Amino acid sequence: MRLSELKPGQTGVITKILGHGAFRKRVMEMGFVKGRQVTMILNAPLLDPIKFSLMDYEVSLRKAEAALIEVVLLEEWIIHEDNKLHIHPIEGDESENELFIRKDKIINVALIGNPNCGKTSLFNIVSGSHERVGNYAGVTVGAKEGSMKYKGYLFKIVDLPGTYSLSAYSPEELYVMRYLRDETPDVIVNVVVASNLERNLYLTTELIDMNRSMVIALNMFDELEKSHATLDYQNLGKMLGVPMVPTQASSGRGVDKLLDTIIEVYELRNPDTRHIHIRMRPEVETAVNTLKDIFKKEPDISQKFAPRYLSIKMLEKDPEVENMLKDHNEYPEWVEIRDKENSRIEKELEDDVNSVIASEKYGFIQGALAETFSSGEKQKEQATKIIDTLVTNKLIGFPIFIFVMWVMFWATFKIGAYPMEWIESIVSWISVEIGKYMSQGPLKDLLLDGIIGGVGGVIVFLPNILILYFFISFMEDSGYMARVAFIMDKIMHKMGLHGKSFIPLVMGFGCNVPAIMSTRIIESKSSRLITILINPFMSCSARIPIYVLLAGVFFPKYGALIFISLYVLGIVVAVFTAKLLRKFWFKTDETPFVMELPPYRLPTLKATVRNMWTKAKQYLHKMGGLILIASIIIWALSYFPRYEKSQVPSEFFEAAMFDMPVSTLESNSEEEINELILNEYQQENSILGNIGKFVEPVMSPLDFHWKTCCSLLAGCAAKEVVVSTLGVLYVGDDDADLLAKRLQTPSKVTGQLPFSKASALAFLVFVLLYFPCIATISAIYRETGSWKYPLFSIIYNTTLAWVLGFLTFKITELLV
């Protein structure tokens, strides 16, 4: 709880000071230190300020200031101190163990750094979490939280999005600024790339302006050593007033030392920690000090950010800082002073204020590095340049990219076929063995046809999805994905998009949900919205089971070609849609293409396997959750209501007998024929059958039968469910081979094929383009903040899917 929440007469024990800078120093000098008892005496008549008693004297604090001090009630502290002497919590039970860690031993840590600096790798190794790591900007699109226990302390760690500065230029920067304003972490760990200090330390200078408790993690220190460069990081840390610790997140090197240093900084006993001012030219310092003196008099402002930081940001006309200040009555006066100072600086220095401040900070960085850093060999840079001359070459860059894409799809289809067969055999064996020991009835049908038939029919495609993610992971981790965005920028620009839009679109081949979330790396709002709306046209891995099934059945010799054609069609439709949206909905929004091209790194086998295992767990979790529930619902809708032979109209029997192939009539007994007709009537008049028949008239021009319509509707839960629904409706079994044969075999009752080649191809096109799954719709809403965009996606995508599906059917019917 906070000190401001104490009631008159209550005593609390101080566990943490959340403020920073001058406030933190002032209250600690007054005796507000960890472990000190403080008693709330009374409120002022207007409830603010509040009078407290500590160390045998009385002191008053404003409510806002008291809210920045964490306390534990004295009685709880005493109970805690007593309990910890004799209670031994169960090893490994974090929820129990945390109860016995003193509140002043909990350290809130925020990881902040440039994109691609290794923050998430460090977060994974410290917290034991397994978040996605990629060698390009924008992988972390939101704060991730983890925790660990170390030397009696509980570290609560937050991995913030990568950002180059603390300005409201991109969603990541805005997110980090607001987090630092609202959460006030105990210690900031500024992760910097040791081999690229000049650029990385610009963010450090802004954090120094904020006057927060901080440690610098010199990550990827091994790369600096391999280049034979030398860095006197201890001396550099003393210059910056921030301790520096060399780390190598990929191996865990230096992590213990980093945690020890965090504890030292938190406990205010690190000798290198001090607050410095990064001095700028006198013309700028005069303006900074003028505004700083004003903000010092406004405690409700200076408690959130250091006055010097606010002064610099206001001179830069940062929109987030101005938005934070605009509600104050004196704001118009501050703006007038700021504008006057800016005009003076620009007149005296003949340059705009933002450029001057950036130049001064980089000048400070260069001066500090000149005394502490000596460059070594540039072997990695040379290797990067050599590779880039090939993969970004205007003549061979695109062929290389197309070849990589072809290899990815070929491996997904061909290599994935072998483990698919193994999984099919295992699932089929499980189904047979369970069927031997269960008596006939609804429970057996539910287990075999609904659960095993539904989930088993989809889980066989796990190898294909893992192979696809292997290739995407390799491209991301190696740094090649950033080059793809680079060579695609001109094409994306012609679509009215930003080069960075290509990364979320490629990620969409894995899953549209994280791809849509990753659009936060795009600074332009209109480009981001267009990228979100066209992302569902990127064929996600959930559609792979459908492609593998129908392409393998109807086009076995051209499976890889069908795959590539569908992916290309999705891209073409996305381009067409982007052009329409840019022309009729969104105004032109030119944003410069600025994107880091990181050095190439060979991904470690551990990182690749861990990423594949993470995706496998997500897929299996989906099997045991959403798809399992959907399969059971679909089975129940197709199973009920039940009918007896006497309930089947004679007209249905007569029509079915008339349509039944001669071979069926000759090879089956009368009882078997009656059973076939009853099953057909049962399915057609089930709840699911009636839903499918209701939609069928709209889909009949594409030659989609009611069962096909049912499978498409089921795809709203997850696209994989389309396959399991077809399995439930056509064979009631999990055997993929049995379903494949059934799709090529005419119905014994009606004599109709479930699909022709033309309708199968139209079905694949429709599945590629029609409305996104529920998770994607939800992601679109979360990222746009409005329901009009998800509704547009549902209506537009489905309409387009019908039109192109119809054209595909008609053209294929003419040619085949």
Side-chain angles (χ1 to χ4, degrees):
M1 65 186 299
R2 302 298 172 92
L3 185 61
S4 58
E5 298 174 23
L6 286 180
K7 297 177 181 178
Q10 283 188 325
T11 299
V13 179
I14 299 172
T15 59
K16 192 174 296 184
I17 310 296
L18 298 178
H20 62 87
F23 166 77
R24 183 185 179 94
K25 184 178 180 181
R26 179 164 54 88
V27 296
M28 292 179 69
E29 289 171 349
M30 293 168 62
F32 289 89
V33 293
K34 288 189 299 180
R36 181 74 62 187
Q37 294 184 23
V38 55
T39 303
M40 195 276 205
I41 300 177
L42 56 83
N43 288 302
L46 297 178
L47 304 181
D48 201 8
I50 308 172
K51 183 188 287 188
F52 298 97
S53 172
L54 78 161
M55 296 173 58
D56 298 324
Y57 83 100
E58 294 180 351
V59 62
S60 66
L61 290 179
R62 287 181 178 174
K63 198 167 188 178
E65 294 173 335
L68 294 175
I69 301 174
E70 281 191 358
V71 297
V72 173
L73 289 175
L74 179 61
E75 51 267 33
E76 293 180 7
W77 181 270
I78 293 171
I79 292 172
H80 167 78
E81 291 293 300
D82 290 342
N83 283 346
K84 74 174 186 175
L85 297 175
H86 57 80
I87 294 182
H88 302 281
I90 300 172
E91 189 69 28
D93 188 342
E94 291 296 328
S95 61
E96 288 294 324
N97 287 344
E98 188 173 325
L99 294 175
F100 297 95
I101 294 177
R102 282 183 6 197
K103 295 293 183 181
D104 61 329
K105 297 288 186 179
I106 298 175
I107 307 177
N108 297 310
V109 178
L111 299 181
I112 299 177
N114 287 183
N116 195 43
C117 68
K119 275 187 310 82
T120 304
S121 296
L122 188 62
F123 173 78
N124 287 343
I125 201 165
V126 171
S127 68
S129 181
H130 301 296
E131 294 297 339
R132 181 70 188 93
V133 181
N135 189 21
Y136 69 91
V139 172
T140 307
V141 293
K144 303 178 181 72
E145 298 182 4
S147 61
M148 72 164 297
K149 289 170 65 181
Y150 180 79
K151 293 187 176 179
Y153 289 84
L154 177 67
F155 288 77
K156 292 188 174 181
I157 307 159
V158 176
D159 176 22
L160 293 170
T163 176
Y164 291 105
S165 68
L166 297 176
S167 303
Y169 179 63
S170 70
E172 286 87 352
E173 292 170 351
L174 193 58
Y175 188 100
V176 173
M177 278 187 70
R178 290 178 176 174
Y179 178 88
L180 293 175
R181 179 191 68 195
D182 299 333
E183 299 299 328
T184 316
D186 299 314
V187 180
I188 291 172
V189 175
N190 178 207
V191 185
V192 304
V193 179
S195 57
N196 195 356
L197 286 174
E198 188 170 350
R199 190 210 63 206
N200 280 244
L201 287 176
Y202 185 84
L203 175 62
T204 307
T205 63
E206 295 202 304
L207 292 169
I208 289 172
D209 289 337
M210 277 191 169
N211 192 12
R212 300 291 179 91
S213 298
M214 185 163 61
V215 177
I216 295 175
L218 291 167
N219 202 27
M220 305 179 194
F221 201 76
D222 56 315
E223 293 184 4
L224 182 140
E225 292 175 325
K226 287 176 184 176
S227 69
H228 302 292
T230 58
L231 174 67
D232 184 357
Y233 61 86
Q234 292 178 327
N235 191 26
L236 180 59
K238 290 176 181 177
M239 287 183 183
L240 298 175
V242 182
M244 288 184 152
V245 181
T247 61
Q248 185 179 341
S250 58
S251 65
R253 170 190 173 188
V255 171
D256 285 351
K257 176 62 177 175
L258 177 64
L259 296 174
D260 290 337
T261 307
I262 292 172
I263 293 172
E264 289 178 0
V265 170
Y266 175 71
E267 297 288 1
L268 304 178
R269 48 186 172 82
N270 184 276
D272 295 338
T273 300
R274 63 191 180 93
H275 179 55
I276 68 167
H277 283 175
I278 298 171
R279 297 291 177 184
M280 292 177 276
R281 301 180 67 149
E283 296 87 346
V284 180
E285 282 294 329
T286 300
V288 171
N289 291 329
T290 299
L291 290 170
K292 185 180 73 172
D293 291 339
I294 293 172
F295 295 143
K296 276 185 175 180
K297 300 174 183 177
E298 303 290 338
D300 56 326
I301 296 175
S302 57
Q303 285 167 4
K304 297 294 183 182
F305 286 129
R308 181 176 176 84
Y309 171 80
L310 289 173
S311 302
I312 294 171
K313 286 300 173 185
M314 191 168 184
L315 287 172
E316 293 176 333
K317 297 184 179 179
D318 185 275
E320 181 64 13
V321 168
E322 293 201 335
N323 187 56
M324 191 177 89
L325 300 176
K326 69 180 182 182
D327 292 333
H328 286 263
N329 296 330
E330 297 84 1
Y331 178 69
E333 297 176 21
W334 301 344
V335 170
E336 187 177 340
I337 295 171
R338 187 270 313 277
D339 292 343
K340 181 180 177 182
E341 293 294 331
N342 277 5
S343 298
R344 179 184 58 78
I345 293 170
E346 291 173 5
K347 183 178 180 180
E348 292 177 3
L349 300 179
E350 297 182 349
D351 202 352
D352 67 277
V353 174
N354 291 50
S355 298
V356 172
I357 292 175
S359 297
E360 291 295 300
K361 290 195 171 184
Y362 275 116
F364 170 82
I365 294 168
Q366 289 169 352
L369 292 178
E371 297 185 33
T372 57
F373 177 76
S374 62
S375 60
E377 300 172 9
K378 299 288 184 180
Q379 293 178 352
K380 182 174 284 289
E381 289 186 15
Q382 290 298 324
T384 294
K385 288 178 181 177
I386 293 171
I387 298 172
D388 275 348
T389 57
L390 297 175
V391 300
T392 63
N393 185 277
K394 63 181 180 180
L395 295 177
I396 63 174
F398 282 104
I400 290 173
F401 171 63
I402 292 170
F403 175 73
V404 170
M405 291 292 104
W406 181 85
V407 170
M408 180 173 75
F409 297 133
W410 177 86
T412 299
F413 188 78
K414 290 292 184 182
I415 299 177
Y418 298 103
M420 269 184 67
E421 293 176 3
W422 306 334
I423 296 175
E424 282 177 13
S425 302
I426 294 171
V427 173
S428 180
W429 176 81
I430 292 172
S431 181
V432 170
E433 290 301 310
I434 291 177
K436 288 180 182 178
Y437 301 101
M438 292 190 70
S439 57
Q440 295 295 329
L443 182 59
K444 180 179 180 180
D445 292 338
L446 168 63
L447 185 59
L448 298 185
D449 301 338
I451 298 176
I452 298 178
V455 176
V458 178
I459 200 172
V460 296
F461 301 102
L462 177 62
N464 305 89
I465 290 167
L466 289 179
I467 291 171
L468 180 69
Y469 271 113
F470 170 83
F471 279 93
I472 292 177
S473 173
F474 187 88
M475 288 192 293
E476 292 173 351
D477 295 350
S478 65
Y480 179 63
M481 189 73 85
R483 272 68 184 184
V484 172
F486 174 77
I487 65 174
M488 291 298 295
D489 179 58
K490 190 170 183 179
I491 295 175
M492 302 305 290
H493 184 72
K494 289 182 177 180
M495 292 168 55
L497 294 176
H498 192 278
K500 288 185 180 179
S501 296
F502 192 73
I503 290 175
L505 295 179
V506 173
M507 288 181 68
F509 292 141
C511 180
N512 295 140
V513 175
I516 287 171
M517 293 174 65
S518 72
T519 58
R520 297 177 193 173
I521 67 174
I522 305 168
E523 292 87 359
S524 165
K525 183 179 180 181
S526 64
S527 291
R528 185 159 55 90
L529 289 172
I530 293 174
T531 307
I532 288 171
L533 292 176
I534 67 175
N535 203 283
F537 293 126
M538 299 298 103
S539 190
C540 68
S541 60
R543 296 175 173 98
I544 289 178
I546 310 166
Y547 300 164
V548 172
L549 175 67
L550 292 181
V553 169
F554 294 99
F555 310 98
K557 295 181 181 179
Y558 307 102
L561 179 61
I562 294 293
F563 257 56
I564 292 175
S565 299
L566 288 168
Y567 280 80
V568 169
L569 177 61
I571 294 169
V572 170
V573 170
V575 171
F576 171 76
T577 303
K579 296 285 283 184
L580 285 180
L581 291 172
R582 178 61 77 187
K583 185 173 183 179
F584 295 108
W585 196 346
F586 300 100
K587 296 179 181 179
T588 302
D589 188 358
E590 298 291 340
T591 303
F593 179 69
V594 180
M595 182 172 183
E596 178 186 2
L597 294 177
Y600 289 99
R601 298 188 178 98
L602 185 65
T604 63
L605 179 62
K606 179 182 178 182
T608 303
V609 170
R610 186 170 66 181
N611 182 45
M612 290 179 66
W613 172 239
T614 299
K615 296 303 178 186
K617 286 197 297 183
Q618 291 175 0
Y619 191 71
L620 293 171
H621 180 71
K622 203 174 183 182
M623 296 298 104
L626 186 62
I627 292 177
L628 174 61
I629 294 170
S631 297
I632 293 173
I633 292 172
I634 291 163
W635 171 85
L637 292 175
S638 66
Y639 192 81
F640 296 105
R642 304 300 295 167
Y643 294 95
E644 300 293 335
K645 180 185 174 183
S646 59
Q647 294 176 283
V648 180
S650 57
E651 299 83 20
F652 186 88
F653 258 101
E654 291 171 4
M657 292 288 288
F658 180 79
D659 292 334
M660 195 171 290
V662 176
S663 58
T664 303
L665 292 169
E666 292 177 348
S667 60
N668 291 278
S669 65
E670 181 180 351
E671 184 178 346
E672 290 171 332
I673 290 172
N674 289 339
E675 186 66 26
L676 287 172
I677 296 174
L678 176 60
N679 287 339
E680 183 71 18
Y681 183 82
Q682 171 69 46
Q683 280 196 343
E684 191 172 329
N685 290 276
S686 65
I687 299 171
L688 189 62
N690 283 309
I691 295 172
K693 286 192 289 185
F694 177 77
V695 179
E696 187 178 28
V698 179
M699 308 303 293
S700 58
L702 285 71
D703 197 28
F704 291 176
H705 305 304
W706 65 266
K707 293 181 182 180
T708 308
C709 298
C710 290
S711 68
L712 290 171
L713 290 172
C716 70
K719 292 296 182 283
E720 301 99 328
V721 180
V722 171
V723 172
S724 60
T725 305
L726 290 173
V728 169
L729 292 176
Y730 279 111
V731 296
D733 202 294
D734 61 284
D735 194 327
D737 285 336
L738 193 59
L739 176 58
K741 291 175 183 176
R742 174 65 185 90
L743 294 180
Q744 301 174 83
T745 307
S747 168
K748 292 182 178 181
V749 177
T750 64
Q752 292 181 328
L753 276 166
F755 290 97
S756 63
K757 286 194 173 184
S759 64
L761 197 56
F763 186 79
L764 288 174
V765 171
F766 194 90
V767 165
L768 167 70
L769 302 174
Y770 82 124
F771 57 78
C773 67
I774 292 173
T776 302
I777 291 294
S778 176
I780 294 174
Y781 170 71
R782 287 198 306 269
E783 294 303 310
T784 61
S786 171
W787 277 110
K788 67 181 179 182
Y789 298 107
L791 288 174
F792 169 83
S793 188
I794 293 169
I795 296 169
Y796 173 81
N797 292 22
T798 307
T799 303
L800 198 61
W802 191 97
V803 172
L804 292 182
F806 177 75
L807 292 175
T808 302
F809 173 72
K810 288 299 181 183
I811 293 170
T812 309
E813 199 174 35
L814 289 173
L815 297 177
V816 179

